[in-house]
Amino acid sequence: MATFLYRLGRLAFRRRRLVVMLWVAVLAAIGIGAMSAPGTSSGALSVPGTQSQRAIDLLQKEFPQASADGATARVVFEAPSGQKLTSAANKAEVESLVAKLEKSPQVSGVSDPFSSGLVSKSGSIAYAQVSYKVAEADVSGAAHAVQTDVVAQGEKAGLKVSLGGNAVKDKAASKAAELIGVGVAAVVLVITFGSMIAAGLPLLTAILGVAAAVLSVTLATHFFDLASSSTTLALMLGLAVAIDYALFIVSRYRNEIRDGHEPEEACGRAVGTAGSAVVFAGLTVIVALSGLSVIGIAMLTSMGLASAFAVAVAVVIALTLLPAMLGFAGMRIMKGRMLTRRMKALERGEGESTGVRWARFVTRNPVKVLAVSVVGLALVAIPTMSLKMALNDDSGKPPGSTQRIAYDTLSKGFGPGFNGPLTVVVDARDSGDPKAAAKSAYSMLSKLYDVAAVRPPSFNESGDVALIGAVPKSAATSEATKDLVGEIRGHGTALHQDTGADLMVTGLTAVNIDVSTKLSDALIPYLAIVVGLALVLLLLVFRSIVIPLKAALGFLLSVVSTLGVLVAVFQWGWLKDLFGVDQTGPIVSLLPIVLIGVVFGLAMDYEVFLVSRMREEYVHGAEPTQAVVQGFRHSGRVVTAAAVIMVSVFSGFLLDDEALIKSIGLGLATAVFFDAFVVRMTIVPAVMTLLGHRSWTLPKWLDRVLPNVDVEGEKLRHALEAEQTDPAPEPVLAGVAAGVHAGSDGHGAAHAFTDFHASGDPDTPAPAQQAAGKARGLSRFKQRLARGGEAPAPADSTESEAPARRKLLKNPMRRS
């Protein structure tokens, strides 16, 4: 793996113009194809095999005029203060608006408030139910325009008119979250690298990668029905992981430059080592997201596969386009004057970084640190035991939106249950007396305590399938309504025994309840599949039993702690004013399972990035504790920057007005924070210190069976050493011993120019080489560095290079 990626990195570096042109051509082709794509659908939730879905399928067959799967809207009218809608003037205005709705495009039917009994007891509130022939995503702009005109006309006449239901177009989502995430990422990258060029490359390649992924998802709608949320999740995750992957490779590239390698060679080594970690980190994310398809909900399947594709694109971009961009940047990526005095001192070898000091603290006190971390996360996780889940409805819309106003107005006039009506279907095709069966069902519903109103049955043309409407007393997302649906379905068994008819409950409320139940039941199998596959990948990467198990257990700890935070804020109301939550309620059913899929992948990213460098040091001869410290020395800063970027991107969604988006933003940001800083950078080094050599042990029989993927680049290092038949002498600074630089871990690690800098960039001493295949004279450069001054570009001295060395630089893997 490492050897192949090494060659790929050097090839992309040398053929940078061709690589960039190919990517531009691919983006153009995808963009042209996406322009004519039909676009994503609404992503309406449906679960084949559930009772609610079977009822919808029956209604489509027996009541085609009802458009069982069509979009619906509720137009809510409220009279001015002190007036009633039943007055002559107000009634005439409402009837005029209803007539206008009936003439709207795509409408299959409109219920008149006065003839259908849809006026409140006070007479001040009424609503019209509008049914459309098409699904939510297919409601045309002309139909939405009629809705807007009705609201404007009613308000002009003095009425308060609001719209609810899935046929109502949501307000365009703000792009503030994405902009804030990109802005924070730019700042963090500049601070990390101290160079505008080094900071700009990850952002540029990430934006190009996200564009390719989103356009590809749009293009795929030519062939597949994808939910609109697929693009949103793909955009959010694609941006975050693409920046992280590029950040990791660029950081390693700069380290290789500081070690004295030429740019092309440094690029090959960076892609060969850090690129291997990126490949396996990306695979874990892809596995976790693709696993969403096992749940059996079409919307989740499209979300997971689209996001997994975006991650795959991010990996390919990091391995091909990024090395090409490094070729264009050349040595300019090593220049920068944006580091603090402390950071400059660290680059001169004075003192230790915060990451190293933290690693030493953890390795000195592993038991105490482990106990405090685990107990702290366990305490945060306590609210998870009170977790309640339900799908969101218009009650979660932003305050002041027309959907929220309509919801609150209906609750005030008719009770909260009117926002979640139930549709009861009596399938009496096998009954001897369909009318008697429907009458029995109607009588049963009327006697139930939590039923506020029941609409008499209406039959299909054959007279053997009846439709009954029931309105609960409780809100659609309440536990009482969920219990009511279960009670009605329980009575269906007795009805079948008495009459031979089947009773089914459907409607948006029942569908949401069935989906929530399906998601709850799928949590454990999903966890088992995703964690199992990821454990196999980590076993291949680290060739250890302990590390994959530790990674999975740490992830579970961070997930339950995150769910505890969500329950405390959105369900219990703790700190709700701080996060702008105006009302509490159950956690959205989709959130826990999406959270598990996304966070597991990201958690394994940090595990691979941090622990792979520890393994590299261990394989190269470091003791276990020293390997932990050295892993933090080389990767701690990068992982910290990556986590800060992730938290910032996800926290930006807290600015959204909608409760669902807020919960997603807070959940992902909290999970990344816990997993990166508490689990990966605290619990992991503590456990590895306690286990010592046992962290890296693998049974001999398993060691023989498993393929060696060489993520740490050990095979690559040996191959490069074997190929160097005429190695050039290592450039050594004045006062520094030639050969191997002894790290603080006591084992040899080749480091040249590590503690000095030129061109004012403490992080990036200008190496001897300026272009691939050419070596630069170093004498004046070393003299200037020894005096503490800046070194001008040394004169070209390629004439002194041996022919064998020039061939080696072009292709060090070539065998004679």
Side-chain angles (χ1 to χ4, degrees):
M1 171 69 75
T3 302
F4 168 76
L5 293 178
Y6 168 84
R7 292 174 174 173
L8 178 63
R10 292 200 61 168
L11 177 65
F13 189 98
R14 287 197 306 272
R15 307 296 184 189
R16 46 189 173 271
R17 290 180 177 82
L18 176 61
V19 171
V20 171
M21 286 191 294
L22 287 175
W23 270 108
V24 170
V26 168
L27 277 172
I30 297 174
I32 292 172
M35 290 175 62
S36 59
T40 54
S41 68
S42 62
L45 288 171
S46 63
V47 184
T50 60
Q51 187 184 105
S52 57
Q53 189 61 45
R54 292 199 306 270
I56 289 175
D57 296 339
L58 179 61
L59 289 176
Q60 288 176 339
K61 179 181 178 182
E62 301 296 336
F63 291 86
Q65 73 279 4
S67 301
D69 63 341
T72 59
R74 282 186 170 184
V75 183
V76 183
F77 309 98
E78 185 174 9
S81 180
Q83 299 183 27
K84 293 186 177 182
L85 292 174
T86 53
S87 66
N90 289 334
K91 183 177 181 180
E93 183 62 31
V94 170
E95 290 176 339
S96 171
L97 296 176
V98 170
K100 189 169 187 176
L101 287 169
E102 290 175 340
K103 298 177 183 178
S104 174
Q106 302 175 316
V107 167
S108 62
V110 181
S111 59
D112 181 84
F114 302 104
S115 61
S116 302
L118 304 179
V119 181
S120 66
K121 294 180 179 179
S122 64
S124 60
I125 297 174
Y127 71 92
Q129 184 82 12
V130 184
S131 300
Y132 290 84
K133 301 175 183 177
V134 297
E136 173 185 344
D138 299 322
V139 177
S140 65
H144 287 306
V146 172
Q147 296 173 0
T148 304
D149 292 342
V150 166
V151 172
Q153 181 179 331
E155 292 181 344
K156 188 176 181 180
L159 302 177
K160 296 179 182 178
V161 184
S162 52
L163 305 172
N166 61 1
V168 180
K169 189 175 183 180
D170 284 324
K171 183 181 178 182
S174 172
K175 299 298 181 183
E178 289 87 345
L179 294 176
I180 290 174
V182 172
V184 173
V187 173
V188 172
L189 289 170
V190 170
I191 293 175
T192 302
F193 291 127
S195 165
M196 292 296 292
I197 296 177
L201 283 181
L203 284 176
L204 176 61
T205 55
I207 292 172
L208 292 175
V210 166
V214 172
L215 289 174
S216 298
V217 171
T218 305
L219 179 63
T221 59
H222 277 297
F223 315 101
F224 307 101
D225 184 21
L226 300 178
S228 56
S229 51
S230 303
T231 304
T232 303
L233 189 60
L235 172 64
M236 181 171 62
L237 278 181
L239 181 64
V241 300
I243 293 175
D244 280 3
Y245 296 164
L247 166 65
F248 197 56
I249 291 178
V250 170
S251 177
R252 187 58 181 261
Y253 170 76
R254 286 160 59 92
N255 285 340
E256 297 293 342
I257 289 287
R258 286 196 296 270
D259 284 347
H261 298 294
E262 293 186 12
E264 182 181 328
E265 175 70 9
C267 182
R269 289 174 180 259
V271 176
T273 51
S276 298
V278 165
V279 168
F280 281 92
L283 281 176
T284 57
V285 183
I286 292 169
V287 165
L289 293 172
S290 301
L292 290 173
S293 58
V294 305
I295 297 171
I297 297 178
M299 188 183 80
L300 279 180
T301 299
S302 63
M303 288 173 62
L305 294 180
S307 302
F309 178 76
V311 174
V313 171
V315 172
V316 176
I317 286 274
L319 299 179
T320 56
L321 181 60
L322 180 60
M325 301 302 292
L326 290 174
F328 284 110
M331 291 306 304
R332 291 188 297 273
I333 200 172
M334 305 299 292
K335 296 180 180 179
R337 300 176 180 272
M338 300 181 181
L339 297 181
T340 64
R341 181 178 301 177
R342 170 175 168 72
M343 294 169 68
K344 293 178 181 179
L346 290 174
E347 295 299 331
R348 292 194 300 268
E350 301 173 4
E352 291 181 334
S353 66
T354 303
V356 172
R357 293 204 308 272
W358 173 251
R360 293 192 185 281
F361 171 77
V362 173
T363 54
R364 285 196 300 266
N365 307 279
V367 176
K368 295 179 181 178
V369 169
L370 181 62
V372 171
S373 301
V374 172
V375 171
L377 289 179
L379 290 175
V380 175
I382 289 176
T384 306
M385 293 186 291
S386 302
L387 175 66
K388 295 179 181 179
M389 296 189 295
L391 286 179
N392 59 311
D393 56 12
D394 284 349
S395 64
K397 297 294 183 181
S401 65
T402 185
Q403 295 98 325
R404 180 64 178 274
I405 294 172
Y407 183 95
D408 294 339
T409 304
L410 280 178
S411 297
K412 181 174 66 174
F414 299 92
F418 264 77
N419 287 291
L422 303 176
T423 300
V424 181
V425 180
V426 180
D427 182 6
R429 290 175 295 180
D430 297 331
S431 174
D433 190 350
K435 292 189 181 297
K439 184 177 180 180
S440 297
Y442 176 79
S443 177
M444 177 269 295
L445 291 170
S446 301
K447 295 176 182 178
L448 295 179
Y449 172 77
D450 203 38
V451 173
V454 183
R455 188 180 64 200
S458 58
F459 288 86
N460 62 342
E461 292 182 0
S462 303
D464 53 7
V465 177
L467 199 61
I468 305 174
V471 178
K473 292 180 180 178
S474 306
T477 58
S478 67
E479 284 294 316
T481 299
K482 183 177 180 180
D483 294 339
L484 175 63
V485 171
E487 186 178 2
I488 295 173
R489 288 172 173 172
H491 284 293
T493 304
L495 181 69
H496 179 75
Q497 293 175 349
D498 295 340
T499 66
D502 293 324
L503 183 146
M504 296 178 285
V505 184
T506 187
L508 182 60
T509 300
V511 169
N512 287 352
I513 290 173
D514 288 344
V515 170
S516 296
T517 303
K518 178 77 171 180
L519 290 170
S520 299
D521 295 341
L523 272 176
I524 301 302
Y526 174 67
L527 268 176
I529 292 173
V530 170
V531 172
L533 291 175
L535 286 177
V536 172
L537 284 175
L538 293 178
L539 183 65
L540 289 173
V541 173
F542 297 118
R543 307 189 70 77
S544 164
I545 298 291
V546 173
I547 289 178
L549 291 175
K550 169 185 58 62
L553 292 175
F555 154 74
L556 294 175
L557 189 58
S558 62
V559 164
V560 294
S561 301
T562 301
L563 291 176
V565 171
L566 291 174
V567 170
V569 174
F570 290 94
Q571 196 171 303
W572 292 357
W574 293 5
L575 302 177
K576 66 176 185 177
D577 294 335
L578 176 63
F579 295 106
V581 179
D582 64 298
Q583 70 175 34
T584 58
I587 303 301
V588 179
S589 302
L590 292 173
L591 182 56
I593 205 156
V594 171
L595 185 72
I596 288 172
V598 173
V599 174
F600 184 82
L602 299 180
M604 296 306 104
D605 273 6
Y606 301 130
E607 180 79 12
V608 171
F609 288 165
L610 192 60
V611 181
S612 64
R613 192 59 191 255
M614 296 178 187
R615 174 170 172 77
E616 183 176 342
E617 296 294 328
Y618 180 78
V619 168
H620 292 172
E623 291 298 317
T625 301
Q626 296 168 342
V628 169
V629 175
Q630 289 302 308
F632 270 82
R633 183 185 303 277
H634 295 293
S635 298
R637 189 176 180 184
V638 176
V639 171
T640 300
V644 170
I645 290 172
M646 286 277 193
V647 172
S648 302
V649 169
F650 296 144
S651 296
F653 289 90
L654 287 170
L655 300 177
D656 198 283
D657 294 329
E658 193 165 339
L660 172 62
I661 305 301
K662 283 181 180 290
S663 62
I664 292 175
L666 179 61
L668 292 177
T670 303
V672 170
F673 177 83
F674 283 159
D675 200 272
F677 295 110
V678 181
V679 175
R680 307 302 154 191
M681 301 189 74
T682 304
I683 294 178
V684 166
V687 171
M688 294 182 69
T689 300
L690 291 173
L691 294 177
H693 289 284
R694 287 170 293 181
S695 298
W696 308 105
T697 55
L698 186 68
K700 292 184 179 179
W701 66 268
L702 188 57
D703 185 44
R704 290 192 298 268
V705 172
L706 290 179
N708 190 350
V709 294
D710 191 29
V711 173
E712 68 279 355
E714 182 69 6
K715 289 184 178 179
L716 173 63
R717 186 171 67 90
H718 289 314
L720 292 175
E721 290 175 353
E723 290 292 336
Q724 292 185 4
T725 57
D726 185 22
E730 186 79 17
V732 180
L733 301 181
V736 179
V740 176
H741 170 74
S744 61
D745 54 0
H747 71 286
H751 294 290
F753 302 107
T754 303
D755 301 329
F756 296 86
H757 66 94
S759 303
D761 182 6
D763 190 37
T764 56
Q769 296 84 358
Q770 191 178 43
K774 292 184 179 182
R776 299 290 184 178
L778 294 173
S779 57
R780 288 188 297 161
F781 176 68
K782 291 187 292 183
Q783 293 170 6
R784 292 295 299 273
L785 286 179
R787 293 195 300 267
E790 295 190 359
D796 192 350
S797 59
T798 55
E799 297 81 6
S800 62
E801 283 290 333
R805 176 61 177 167
R806 287 199 295 270
K807 292 180 180 179
L808 177 62
L809 290 173
K810 291 180 180 178
N811 188 359
M813 300 305 298
R814 179 182 301 166
R815 294 186 178 274
S816 57

